Each structure stands twice: as C-alpha cells, then as structure tokens.
Amino acid sequence: MADPGNNTHSDQRQHVFASFYSIITLAFILLACVELGDASTVVDVYRLIQYDISGAPFGSRVASINHHAASSLFAPGSDLSRTVLVLPLRELNQTFIREYIEQGKPLGGLLLLLPQFFRSEDSQTVVGHADNSDKEKMKRLLADLEQKLIHSTIQYPVYFAFEDEDLDKVLADIKKNDAAGQPATATTGGYKLIVSSPAPKKLASPAITNIQGWLPGSKADGSSNQLPTIAIVASYDTFGAAPALSVGSDSNGGGVVALLEIARLFSILYSNPNTRGKYNILFGLTSGGPYNYNGTQKWLRSFDQRLRESIDYAICLNSLGSGDNGLWVHVSKPPENAYVKQIFEGLSKVADELSLKVGLKHKKINVSNSRVAWEHEQFSRLRVTAATLSGLSVAPELLENTGGISDNREFVSEAAVIRSVKLVAESLARHIYGQEGKNVDIFVDNSSLAVNPSYIRSWLDLLSRTPRVAPFLSKDDAFITALKKELADHVAEVNLQHDVIDGMFTFYDSAINTLQIYQVVSVTFDLLLLLVLGSYLITLFSFLVITTRGLDDLISLFRRPPPRKIKVV
C-alpha cells in the first residue's frame, strides 16, 4: 500500500519545481526582450530603385536592415560596415558622396532624411519657386544626389524618409552619443534600425500603356481626300531614385496637363460643325518616356502607313512648368525645313504677344545610336516631322530630368503651364484656321474658349500626388483609367495600347518598407539585470523549498547522492 506521506512530499516537490520552471521561463522571456524592448518609432521608408540595363546592375542591391545607427558625427576612419548612417539631406557633403556612393566604401545602410517640402501630399500650390533660395539649394542638391545614386551600383540598403519630430529626437540622441565618442554598438547600446524585407525579386514583363484619342476634322462636301493630321503628344510616366516618391510634377506633369487642356479647348471648337477645322488632331499620352521613349516608339510603329503619312507634324510637350524664363523648340530636321520653319514661326509670333521667349535648338539624330534624348526623335526616325517644346534648353542624359524626388509640386510654376497652353493652342488654331501672321486671338481670356487655371491646377495637384514609374504602374492602375476617362470626355475614339518595356531594362520590387527604430541598452546593463534576476530567483526558490519541505530538504537538493552498493553473490 502506498504511503500517503510520500505522495504528499512528491506533490510538494512537483509544485516547487513547476513554480521554479515557470519563473525561469519568465526570466528568459524578459531577457530576450531586453535587447529590443523599447520601440522608439515606426516609419515608412522608400527604397532606392534597383534595376539593370542590359544586365549591368544599378541602384541598391539590398533591402533588409538590422544594424545600429550612427550620424554624420561618426569618427574619421570608423568601420561602418555594420552601421546604418542616418543623414539629413542638408548634412550631406561631397566627401561622403565620393567615398560611400561613387567609390562604394562598405556601409551597413543609409537612411536619407528629406525636408517635409519634398513630400508630395504636403507641397503647397505656389506661383513660382525662385523666391526661396534655401529650397532651391536643397532641390539642386537632391537632384544631383539622385543622379549619382541611380547611376551607381550600391551593395548596401539605401532608404529615404521624411523629417518629423520623432525622427528628429532619435537623430538628436544619436548625434549626442556620437559626439561623446560613444557610437552605438552591442556593448554600448544606442539605437537599432530594422527593416525586415525579403530579397528583391525581378518584375516580370513590366507593362507600359499608351493612351490615344482623336478629334476628327471636317471634310469638304464630296471630298474623298484624307485630312491632314497634327499630333499633340506627352509622355506621362517618370523615373527617380525612389519609385514611390517620383511624381514628376514638371517632368512630365506639366506636359500632360497642357495636353489635356489643349484637348479640352479644341473639343469646344470641334463640337460645332461651323468651327470644326480641316485637320484631324491626334492626342497621345505615351509611356516609357525615361526609357528612350520606348512607348512612343511602339505606338508609332502600330500606325498604318496611311495614318503616318497624313501627319503634317507632331508637337511633343515636355517640362512646361519650368518655362518661366522661356521655352525651347527642339528639332531634328534643319531649321530651314519648311515644316520646322512653320512650327517655329507660328510659336514665335504668339510668344511675342505673350511676352515669352522661345528659342530653337537643332540636334541631329545618330541613327546608329539607340539613345533618344527627346520624344520627337522617335517621330523623326520614322521620317515624321516633329518638335519638342520644353522648358529645358539642353538635351538630358539617360534617366536625367525624368521626374525624380526633387521634381514635385513645390517647384512647378502654374503660370508657366498656363502660358505654355496659350502658346501651343493659339499657334495651332491659327495654323488650322489659316490665320498665321494675324493678330487674331482665338482663346481669349474670360471667354468660353479661355484657358481654365482651375482645371490646370487640379490636374497638376493630382499628378503631383501620383508616383508614375512605369514598371510599378500596372495597366489597370486607377491613374491610367482616370487619364483615359478625362481624354474621352473631350475627344473621340480613345483607346489603350498595352505593351512591355524593351528587354534591356530590368526592374526589381520592394519599393516601400517599414522601418522599426529600437532604443537598445548596453551589454553591461544586460549582465547586471541577469545578475539581479538570478539572485532573485535563487532566493525565491530557496524560500519556497524551506517553507514547504524544510531546510534539510533544501540542503539535500544540492548534496551528492551516496553511491549504490553492489551486492556480491
């Protein structure tokens, strides 16, 4: 028969050890949480673009971060291969850019903090941007940095975020520790930055979508001849260092807005048979602009020969929100060409009336080079006369002036876009209705044909809130649907053309991530806490055993058991 006393002692012993194991488990959980126990802030961060050109890698090749943070006050010669630098844009210097971006010095990660006025949803509607030298300086600095980042191969994660109170406090603490010679490490503590992100994957068959619409002209009674066509074209997508921040308010938001307003104005004229011109007007909103105007090329090649031959000329609209100091007409054919002269003289006449300067720039096409600097060059390669009207005086390099982070609503002149619309619309109307050289205003202010500043403003605002980097803009995107609907409200036969970007460009995902910033304590504190917890647990365990079993049983737990005697037969 079992002894009841032994059962009681056994239950007590099991109770003691169960309590002890529960306490030990709790202690380990507490210790595991010490390292990352105090989350300071969580913010959205925007990764530097990752892409390939003909297999050559560019941009940031890594997405995840798990390192301690440092500031611009790090000691010279420091090993930063396991450190994330948190740098406001205004604290960047050429030495850092040269060593860590251009020369590829090892770095655990880079978090670039941008002033709030670069945040598209916070940008204010402004008439001009030349009145704020500090913002202009920051814009030039960021534009230069973007070019260096997108043309470099960077083997560490690079993210952008916007300055705010939380990040300012974190950065102030980091600077304080760095200035005191106590950079964040596992030994000293500090701040730890974590971005949990899988390895970026290639985007399969990145789509581009062209949008086309018509305003059909009026034929003479009984005429079977095809009417001549004038094309108005603007590329709507962008490219920048951070795809999720590249809204391209000027390049090419200004061109898209101008095209939509021109379509609205001419739709009023063409809606009346008595004022419908004897020209078809073809409107094209094209994609793939930053990639050698790849979408424009595919769109033009989809035309049948008859349509292509009917085009008298095309005017491509580009960066019209920066034309406060004048505009430039860029052409591929010599200035002596009859159509080129007609385009330029028509624009110049109206420009004089608007007190606006318009210059002419001629740039020959190198047919053996696939590089396309201006959209009109895709027309010229197919022997269609075309010109680009732009606020830029010099042909941009590849992926330059394509609507990056620095190109937002803050720096677009609404008045410049309005003047550009008046310039193009008036010169086109005088040509269509045979009024060249005459002082006849068709789009008169305060009339039913007046340019609508509210319309231009609302579309500039929308474009300035919409990132439009082509690989990240699906063919069913709400923005493309909105563009199609808006164009369809003014013109006829609106349709979409879907295609893919040529294979020389490869893009990767992971454009937006979440950054977790933790304030971590030093190892010394961890060891001290472990010692305190250990002492407490030993004391508690001893107390439980003594109160339930007595002191002798506590001592027996640690006493070496006697050896067993082996009976010898």
Side-chain angles (χ1 to χ4, degrees):
M1 184 173 179
D3 186 359
N6 289 338
N7 288 338
T8 301
H9 288 305
S10 176
D11 291 342
Q12 290 177 340
R13 181 182 295 271
Q14 290 177 2
H15 177 71
V16 169
F17 280 104
S19 301
F20 178 70
Y21 289 142
S22 298
I23 294 170
I24 290 294
T25 302
L26 177 62
F28 278 114
I29 293 174
L30 290 173
L31 285 175
C33 295
V34 166
E35 174 73 7
L36 299 176
D38 185 12
S40 295
T41 189
V42 177
V43 296
D44 289 332
V45 288
Y46 309 90
R47 193 167 78 99
L48 173 64
I49 194 166
Q50 178 179 351
Y51 69 105
D52 304 336
I53 299 180
S54 299
F58 293 97
S60 175
R61 315 307 293 182
V62 186
S64 61
I65 291 178
N66 191 353
H67 293 302
H68 288 86
S71 70
S72 59
L73 302 180
F74 63 89
S78 300
D79 179 11
L80 302 178
S81 60
R82 297 184 61 80
T83 301
V84 180
L85 284 182
V86 183
L87 296 179
L89 177 64
R90 57 178 55 88
E91 293 182 12
L92 282 177
N93 58 69
Q94 291 303 314
T95 300
F96 174 84
I97 292 174
R98 182 175 61 254
E99 292 181 356
Y100 287 92
I101 295 176
E102 296 178 342
Q103 298 177 3
K105 197 172 179 180
L107 191 62
L110 177 61
L111 176 63
L112 292 163
L113 302 183
L114 304 177
Q116 279 289 336
F117 61 81
F118 284 113
R119 186 190 291 271
S120 58
E121 58 265 32
D122 289 346
S123 294
Q124 298 178 353
T125 301
V126 292
V127 175
H129 55 264
D131 57 335
N132 195 320
S133 59
D134 183 59
K135 289 182 179 180
E136 275 294 318
K137 180 180 177 181
M138 289 293 101
K139 179 188 177 183
R140 289 192 296 270
L141 178 60
L142 180 55
D144 181 65
L145 175 64
E146 281 193 83
Q147 284 301 297
K148 289 181 170 60
L149 288 171
I150 65 177
H151 290 295
S152 300
T153 304
I154 301 177
Q155 300 299 339
Y156 52 83
V158 178
Y159 282 95
F160 296 89
F162 292 99
E163 297 172 342
D164 59 25
E165 291 184 3
D166 292 335
L167 286 175
D168 288 345
K169 291 178 182 177
V170 170
L171 182 58
D173 286 346
I174 295 172
K175 285 185 174 181
K176 183 178 178 180
N177 293 336
D178 289 348
Q182 296 179 340
T185 63
T187 303
T188 62
Y191 284 91
K192 196 165 192 178
L193 275 57
I194 296 178
V195 174
S196 300
S197 175
K201 298 179 181 178
K202 292 182 179 180
L203 295 175
S205 303
I208 52 178
T209 302
N210 298 315
I211 308 171
Q212 173 186 298
W214 279 92
L215 275 178
S218 176
K219 288 186 179 181
D221 292 339
S223 174
S224 60
N225 296 327
Q226 184 175 9
L227 290 176
T229 300
I230 296 174
I232 309 296
V233 187
S235 178
Y236 66 82
D237 55 3
T238 62
F239 182 93
L245 300 177
S246 301
V247 297
S249 298
D250 181 34
S251 180
N252 191 30
V256 171
V257 172
L259 182 145
L260 293 175
E261 175 65 350
I262 291 169
R264 188 188 71 82
L265 291 173
F266 276 92
S267 70
I268 300 173
L269 286 171
Y270 274 54
S271 63
N272 186 338
N274 296 323
T275 56
R276 186 178 301 162
K278 299 189 184 308
Y279 280 82
N280 298 320
I281 306 179
L282 171 63
F283 295 94
L285 289 165
T286 59
S287 184
Y291 320 118
N292 288 325
Y293 294 97
N294 191 234
T296 308
Q297 180 193 45
K298 295 177 184 294
W299 178 54
L300 292 175
R301 293 190 182 280
S302 70
F303 291 177
D304 58 42
Q305 187 68 21
R306 190 180 178 192
L307 170 58
R308 196 179 302 163
E309 290 178 351
S310 76
I311 299 176
D312 272 10
Y313 60 84
I315 296 180
C316 305
L317 308 175
N318 174 273
S319 301
L320 299 181
S322 56
D324 273 332
N325 298 322
L327 295 168
W328 296 89
V329 180
H330 299 273
V331 295
S332 301
K333 293 187 176 182
E336 298 79 20
N337 179 276
Y339 280 115
V340 170
K341 287 181 67 175
Q342 183 183 67
I343 295 171
F344 182 65
E345 289 176 359
L347 291 170
S348 298
K349 174 63 177 175
V350 179
D352 290 341
E353 298 170 14
L354 297 173
S355 300
L356 182 65
K357 294 181 180 178
V358 174
L360 182 67
K361 289 289 185 81
H362 173 223
K363 175 182 171 292
K364 290 184 178 180
I365 294 177
N366 182 358
V367 180
S368 62
N369 186 356
S370 61
R371 169 81 180 102
V372 177
W374 299 109
E375 187 165 18
H376 74 266
E377 293 181 14
Q378 291 290 12
F379 286 84
S380 299
R381 286 171 182 259
L382 296 177
R383 302 185 182 279
V384 177
T385 302
T388 294
L389 182 68
S390 176
L392 305 176
S393 61
V394 180
E397 298 296 330
L398 181 64
L399 303 179
E400 181 185 18
N401 288 316
T402 51
I405 308 173
S406 59
D407 182 4
N408 74 350
R409 186 70 172 90
E410 185 77 23
F411 303 100
V412 175
S413 171
E414 190 177 301
V417 177
I418 292 172
R419 282 195 298 271
S420 299
V421 171
K422 286 184 177 180
L423 174 67
V424 176
E426 196 68 47
S427 62
L428 277 178
R430 292 183 187 183
H431 173 64
I432 289 172
Y433 297 105
Q435 302 296 316
E436 293 102 330
K438 299 179 182 179
N439 292 323
V440 177
D441 289 334
I442 297 174
F443 301 101
V444 182
D445 292 341
N446 301 318
S447 71
S448 61
L449 290 172
V451 175
N452 188 340
S454 297
Y455 182 84
I456 289 174
R457 183 182 306 115
S458 64
W459 271 97
L460 275 177
D461 291 343
L462 175 61
L463 286 158
S464 299
R465 295 192 301 266
T466 310
R468 304 186 305 283
V469 177
F472 302 91
L473 199 64
S474 70
K475 62 183 181 180
D476 300 321
D477 192 271
F479 174 73
I480 294 178
T481 302
L483 276 184
K484 178 187 177 183
K485 181 180 182 302
E486 186 63 29
L487 196 60
D489 287 343
H490 307 307
V491 304
E493 300 179 38
V494 175
N495 58 73
L496 304 181
Q497 179 197 48
H498 301 298
D499 216 312
V500 295
I501 299 174
D502 277 347
M504 68 179 293
F505 290 95
T506 303
F507 301 90
Y508 296 78
D509 62 8
S510 187
I512 304 177
N513 279 307
T514 299
L515 170 68
Q516 296 175 312
I517 304 177
Y518 294 95
Q519 189 170 13
V520 297
V521 294
S522 66
V523 171
T524 303
F525 179 81
D526 288 350
L527 293 175
L528 179 62
L529 182 61
L530 180 62
L531 178 62
V532 172
L533 282 174
S535 301
Y536 170 75
L537 292 173
I538 291 173
T539 303
L540 179 62
F541 176 73
S542 301
F543 173 77
L544 290 173
V545 172
I546 291 173
T547 56
T548 56
R549 298 292 308 280
L551 181 61
D552 290 341
D553 280 355
L554 174 64
I555 296 174
S556 68
L557 290 175
F558 301 99
R559 183 179 297 157
R560 193 173 185 180
R564 291 183 179 180
K565 293 183 179 180
I566 302 175
K567 294 182 179 181
V568 180
V569 179

